[in-house]
Structure formats: structure tokens, C-alpha cells
Amino acid sequence: MGTIVSVHSFNQKQAAAIQEACPGYRYVDVSGFETEEARAALKNAEIILGFNRDVLKIIYADDNQLRWLQNLGAGVDQIPLERLQSLGVMLSTASGVHPNAISESIFAMLLSLTRKVHAAIRNQQTQTWKPSKETGEAHGKTISIIGAGAIGTETAKIAQAFGMRVLGIRRTGESAQWFDAMHTVDRLNEVLAQSDYVVNCLPLTNETRHLFGGEQFAAMKTSSIYINIGRGGTTDTAALIDALQQGRIAGAGLDVFEQEPLPKEHPLWKLENVILTPHETGNTPYYMDRALTIVIENLKHYISNGKPCRNMVNWQTQY
């Protein structure tokens, strides 16, 4: 009998669905437990659902039984890909869970920075009546979405409702619905120069690390707003701070950072033209239900075909 171990908590109904999808397998939930029994279950697991420090230890253990790791998040930059590849362990993600929540957060930041709602909220804290003379409009503007996956596509769809011109950057350059034009990354600076809003939806890979640096912020309009909901490491933080302080871009909405949690003394906290959220744009009460749909589909395919069918990580592209 094979063993499936989850390190994240599914409710009773969700756990029953997992067990039903895998007759002949034993399902074990070790979320919140740091016991010898939990560690033994992980060590003997054929399939692990989720990733944490305990799973990391199992990956590096020489005698683990792991054949497939189903990450319950979309990003894999914290997971040792080379080690999994060397072990012959398959890795899949929960990509597709986030589009609704994150696209809404993107537009919450975009509209707040454009209409100066963030400034009004800060003034409210000090009971200061200070109407802004610099409110703008998003309608009819140009937005570039860097990383045109599921989140980027949902964001593009919403942008079309504002009559925005939507430009995209993706590795293949292949066109996609809701985008007016799609380009490859070699045209990034050209796209940035046209954009009123730049939305970074990129995963963190060897190719995307510090993709946004001084050169890219210099290419952007001084009136442009930069939003990063992808990964903090895709942006050179020092270059971003310099661009914000020197007025080379107008503002930023940031949910991800090179260092998390963001230290209390970090200069980003005090910049008036920045909205910060603590890596939470993907949070939603529907998260585990949506993740479960992917997990069940992958489990059924694994049982019948020996591998998952959705969101298999490509070792070369690192996502």
C-alpha cells in the first residue's frame, strides 16, 4: 500500500475526496505535527502534498521513498529542483489557483495608486483633510503584463474592461486572448517605454533573477506605476528604491520582496508612493478547494498513468 502525506491541512470533506481518488493508498495528514510518527510518515511517503522544511529534509534524505511532490503553491524557487531531478522525483504545482485573487489585488493596487486612495487612507490616520491634485485615470492607458500565464491572462481580461491597451511578455512570444500584442523578453525595454502600468507576474528562475534593474526602470515612463506580485528576486530592490526616490517612476505596488519578512528598517516602508502587502495577494478562502481540484486530477492520472497530468515542472525552465 502506497502512502500519500499532506503537510498542509485539508478539511474532512477534502481529505475524503483525496482518499476516494486513490483506492489502495493510505492518506496521512501531518500538518501541524512535529512528531516521530509524522517524520516516519513523510520518510515513507510515495506522494507528498505541499512543501515545508520537513519536506526539504526528506528530499535530502538518502532513504526516502518519494516519487512525486505536488506543491500546493505555484512557485518552486524554494524547492531544490536539481536534487529532485537527480532522484527522479516528479514535481507539479498548483498553478491556476491564484488568478482571481491576485488579479483583484493587482487592480486594487493599480487603482489605489492612480486615484491616490492610499494617500487618503494615510491622511485619514492623522485626521488630515488634504484632497489630492494628482489623481489620474486608468481608463485608456497602456498596461504591460510581464509573464502572461494564468494570472497575467486574468489581469489582461480585466484591463480590457477599462479600455486599456494590453501588452504582454512571455518566453515563447505566442499570442494570447485579451492581449493586444505579445512579445518575447528581448523586447522588454521597448514594451516598458510604452507602458503606463507594468505588472510583474514572473516566477523566479536563473533567467528572471533581477530582470528588473536600473536599465529597466530608466526605460519606463516617469509617470508609470510598477506592480510586482511574482517573486521579489526578479527585481533589483536597490534599483527600484532609487527609481522611486529619484522620480524615474511614479509609484509601486509590491507584494513580494527579496527579503521576507521585510525588515522594519527597510526604506520601502517609508516611501509615500508605494503600497506594500505582506506576500498575501494569493490568499483567498477558496484556495484549498481550488488546489484540491488540481490535486485530485493529478492523483487520478498518477494512479492510472504513473505521473500527474497538470502543472508538471520543466527542469530547464524551472517552472
Side-chain angles (χ1 to χ4, degrees):
M1 176 184 290
T3 302
I4 302 168
V5 177
S6 177
V7 296
H8 295 297
S9 183
F10 288 96
N11 63 36
Q12 188 173 0
K13 183 179 179 181
Q14 292 165 340
I18 292 172
Q19 187 66 76
E20 183 181 351
C22 301
Y25 277 76
R26 182 172 70 105
Y27 173 73
V28 182
D29 181 343
V30 300
S31 58
F33 296 98
E34 294 185 3
T35 64
E36 286 300 325
E37 184 179 359
R39 283 188 280 272
L42 280 170
K43 191 173 183 179
N44 294 317
E46 178 180 335
I47 302 166
I48 294 178
L49 308 179
F51 179 77
N52 60 16
R53 286 177 295 179
D54 291 326
V55 177
L56 182 63
K57 292 176 184 176
I58 293 300
I59 290 172
Y60 280 106
D62 292 329
D63 54 348
N64 72 67
Q65 304 299 310
L66 186 62
R67 289 191 59 200
W68 166 34
L69 174 61
Q70 168 67 63
N71 189 29
L72 296 183
V76 295
D77 47 287
Q78 301 298 317
I79 299 175
L81 303 186
E82 291 184 3
R83 172 66 175 173
L84 289 180
Q85 185 180 12
S86 70
L87 293 172
V89 174
M90 295 173 287
L91 174 63
S92 56
T93 73
S95 179
V97 169
H98 300 99
N100 286 7
I102 295 186
S103 62
E104 289 181 12
S105 291
I106 287 168
F107 268 86
M109 289 181 173
L110 185 156
L111 294 173
S112 291
L113 287 162
T114 300
R115 300 298 302 164
K116 306 303 179 186
V117 176
H118 68 301
I121 291 172
R122 289 166 182 164
N123 289 336
Q124 183 178 345
Q125 306 308 307
T126 58
Q127 298 173 302
T128 300
W129 186 272
K130 187 179 180 182
S132 175
K133 298 179 181 179
E134 300 177 351
T135 50
E137 291 186 2
H139 281 75
K141 296 297 194 298
T142 296
I143 183 172
S144 63
I145 299 171
I146 318 303
I151 295 167
T153 299
E154 186 65 23
T155 303
K157 178 182 177 181
I158 297 170
Q160 290 289 354
F162 281 78
M164 301 176 85
R165 177 172 173 244
V166 185
L167 307 178
I169 294 281
R170 69 192 320 181
R171 186 174 54 85
T172 64
E174 183 180 352
S175 61
Q177 187 180 18
W178 310 115
F179 288 85
D180 294 300
M182 189 72 71
H183 305 282
T184 50
V185 73
D186 59 299
R187 298 186 65 184
L188 176 60
N189 288 2
E190 179 184 338
V191 169
L192 296 179
Q194 302 175 57
S195 304
D196 300 292
Y197 302 98
V198 176
V199 181
N200 180 347
C201 300
L202 293 168
L204 181 59
T205 69
N206 293 337
E207 293 180 355
T208 65
R209 187 175 298 277
H210 279 197
L211 182 63
F212 281 88
E215 179 184 334
Q216 286 65 47
F217 294 120
M220 292 165 63
K221 298 179 181 180
T222 57
S223 58
S224 65
I225 289 172
Y226 176 68
I227 296 173
N228 188 7
I229 53 77
R231 283 292 185 266
T234 62
T235 301
D236 182 334
T237 305
L240 172 61
I241 291 171
D242 186 60
L244 289 164
Q245 291 176 332
Q246 300 302 320
R248 284 194 285 276
I249 64 173
L254 307 171
D255 183 57
V256 290
F257 308 88
E258 291 194 86
Q259 184 178 358
E260 296 182 5
L262 194 66
K264 289 185 178 181
E265 67 277 7
H266 202 283
L268 280 172
W269 287 112
K270 296 184 179 180
L271 294 180
E272 292 293 325
N273 53 347
V274 174
I275 294 176
L276 306 180
T277 54
H279 204 145
E280 65 178 10
T281 57
N283 292 356
T284 169
Y286 311 109
Y287 192 101
M288 294 304 284
D289 283 332
R290 291 171 182 160
L292 181 66
T293 300
I294 296 169
V295 168
I296 294 296
E297 188 175 344
N298 273 344
L299 283 170
K300 288 180 177 179
H301 202 270
Y302 178 87
I303 297 300
S304 59
N305 298 279
K307 62 180 180 180
C309 58
R310 290 185 61 177
N311 303 334
M312 285 280 286
V313 171
N314 181 305
W315 302 123
Q316 280 67 50
T317 62
Q318 300 178 298
Y319 62 85

